[in-house]
Amino acid sequence: MNSLTAAYETCETITRTEARNFYYGIRLLPPAKRTSLCAVYALARRIDDIGDGTLSPADKTTALAGLKAELSDIDRSADPVLLAVADTARRFPLPVGAFGELVDGVQMDLTGTRYDTFDELVGYCRCVAGSVGRLCLGIFGSRADPHASEYADALGIALQQVNILRDIREDLTNNRIYLPSEDLHRFGVRLSLDAKGNLVDRDGGLARFIAFAAERARLWYERGLRLLPLLDRRSAASAAAMSGIYRRLLEQIAANPRLVYDRRLSLSGWQKATVAVRAMAGVS
């Protein structure tokens, strides 16, 4: 086994093990695209793991800066994940600079950035998720359309909004607040946890805000899903499966915002598999 083959196998193992949601869509791709998207995921995962790991904030910042420097000269790296990403960039029009945006977004988490407006939050989402959407598009390919990259970006931003709504309680536990302060003020929400660590919502303002934010995320989905007709059948199925899992979560949150007050919502394995099968059949 040569080093490049081993590098791709490392990335596939990381993706199969860690990508609980995305692997349902990734495995619908033909082999060349599947292995390359696994390389993209493995590097994105490494960046996220630095931000969520046990290093001190200063050491995390150093690690992120070091990785960003490696990305600037990726063809010289012997690291298996970077080796696979570099090869992928030679075979596909991969916007490698988008990984730098992801690094910037993780750094925003480390500095505890708060967001006054939704537009500011969109900027963060574009870094941590829109970037991944554009990286995926580099692997998928698309028919010529000047808006294809915008649609991929919007789909990533939609997914991140679902993550934020699902994880309000967990993020607050970790002293992270992504919800725009102007929205919280508009709905009269003061985020807090009760003695059991569950979200407090005495007058229903939080539920009303979540319902509002879920509808806003749905509109971003509508724009992002315009990408699917521009893709080949298997790439469209992959994108539909990956985004479809989060869409189902969004539907649950919109129907009952209080579901996120005391748990982290997720779909069962069979529900995820059903989304993937429907995506492959072209059913949304």
Side-chain angles (χ1 to χ4, degrees), residues 67 84-85 91 108 130 144 182 196 223 227 240 244 246:
L67 183 52
V85 171
R91 295 186 297 116
M108 292 166 74
E182 67 174 8
K196 295 181 179 179
R223 179 165 179 78
L227 176 68
Y246 284 88

Side-chain angles (χ1 to χ4, degrees), residues 85-207:
V85 171
D87 182 69
T88 291
R90 288 189 287 269
R91 295 186 297 116
F92 294 95
L94 192 70
V96 176
F99 285 113
E101 294 179 55
L102 179 53
V103 170
D104 292 340
V106 172
Q107 184 62 51
M108 292 166 74
D109 284 336
L110 295 183
T111 56
T113 303
R114 301 286 173 92
Y115 305 95
D116 291 331
T117 68
F118 180 68
D119 285 345
E120 290 178 358
L121 179 61
V122 167
Y124 166 76
C125 293
R126 181 161 284 122
C127 283
V128 297
S131 60
V132 177
R134 284 175 269 122
L135 286 161
C136 289
L137 179 61
I139 306 299
F140 292 151
S142 72
R143 292 201 294 274
D145 187 296
H147 300 295
S149 182
E150 294 175 26
Y151 297 153
D153 190 69
L155 198 53
I157 292 170
L159 266 65
Q160 188 62 26
Q161 289 180 65
V162 178
N163 266 335
I164 288 169
L165 293 177
R166 179 184 64 174
D167 295 341
I168 295 172
R169 181 180 62 87
E170 182 178 342
D171 289 333
L172 188 58
T173 300
N174 295 316
N175 198 33
R176 291 181 179 178
I177 297 176
Y178 294 98
L179 309 180
S181 59
E182 67 174 8
D183 287 342
L184 296 178
H185 179 74
R186 174 182 171 187
F187 286 88
V189 175
R190 185 184 181 111
L191 290 174
S192 62
L193 301 171
D194 64 20
K196 295 181 179 179
N198 300 328
L199 289 166
V200 174
D201 187 19
R202 294 186 178 88
D203 63 0
L206 180 58

Side-chain angles (χ1 to χ4, degrees), residues 9-283:
E9 289 194 358
T10 295
C11 293
E12 283 209 73
T13 298
I14 292 170
T15 305
R16 188 169 54 250
T17 303
E18 303 293 341
R20 299 182 189 89
N21 291 329
F22 290 137
Y23 195 64
Y24 283 88
I26 292 173
R27 65 185 181 179
L28 300 179
L29 293 167
K33 289 186 177 182
R34 183 177 66 245
T35 55
S36 291
L37 199 50
C38 285
V40 167
Y41 174 84
L43 181 51
R45 179 75 189 201
R46 178 177 295 182
I47 295 168
D48 281 342
D49 284 348
I50 291 172
D52 293 333
T54 58
L55 295 173
S56 69
D59 286 342
K60 288 179 180 181
T61 295
T62 299
L64 289 172
L67 183 52
K68 202 169 187 179
E70 283 190 272
L71 285 168
S72 69
D73 196 16
I74 194 171
D75 288 318
R76 295 173 62 87
S77 178
D79 178 277
V81 172
L82 294 179
L83 184 66
V85 171
D87 182 69
T88 291
R90 288 189 287 269
R91 295 186 297 116
F92 294 95
L94 192 70
V96 176
F99 285 113
E101 294 179 55
L102 179 53
V103 170
D104 292 340
V106 172
Q107 184 62 51
M108 292 166 74
D109 284 336
L110 295 183
T111 56
T113 303
R114 301 286 173 92
Y115 305 95
D116 291 331
T117 68
F118 180 68
D119 285 345
E120 290 178 358
L121 179 61
V122 167
Y124 166 76
C125 293
R126 181 161 284 122
C127 283
V128 297
S131 60
V132 177
R134 284 175 269 122
L135 286 161
C136 289
L137 179 61
I139 306 299
F140 292 151
S142 72
R143 292 201 294 274
D145 187 296
H147 300 295
S149 182
E150 294 175 26
Y151 297 153
D153 190 69
L155 198 53
I157 292 170
L159 266 65
Q160 188 62 26
Q161 289 180 65
V162 178
N163 266 335
I164 288 169
L165 293 177
R166 179 184 64 174
D167 295 341
I168 295 172
R169 181 180 62 87
E170 182 178 342
D171 289 333
L172 188 58
T173 300
N174 295 316
N175 198 33
R176 291 181 179 178
I177 297 176
Y178 294 98
L179 309 180
S181 59
E182 67 174 8
D183 287 342
L184 296 178
H185 179 74
R186 174 182 171 187
F187 286 88
V189 175
R190 185 184 181 111
L191 290 174
S192 62
L193 301 171
D194 64 20
K196 295 181 179 179
N198 300 328
L199 289 166
V200 174
D201 187 19
R202 294 186 178 88
D203 63 0
L206 180 58
R208 289 191 294 273
F209 160 72
I210 292 174
F212 162 79
E215 173 61 18
R216 184 166 59 190
R218 186 189 65 78
L219 295 176
W220 279 85
Y221 258 112
E222 283 188 1
R223 179 165 179 78
L225 289 172
R226 295 176 189 175
L227 176 68
L228 299 191
L230 304 178
L231 308 180
D232 65 74
R233 185 179 71 87
R234 290 181 68 174
S235 294
S238 177
M242 288 189 283
S243 62
I245 288 170
Y246 284 88
R247 240 177 123 192
R248 296 297 181 272
L249 290 173
L250 181 62
E251 290 168 359
Q252 291 182 18
I253 293 169
N256 185 1
R258 290 176 172 80
L259 287 175
V260 303
Y261 289 8
D262 62 357
R263 75 199 77 174
R264 190 175 195 268
L265 283 183
S266 64
L267 301 186
S268 66
W270 72 265
Q271 287 174 314
K272 294 174 184 178
T274 298
V275 170
V277 169
R278 289 170 63 84
M280 197 63 189
V283 180

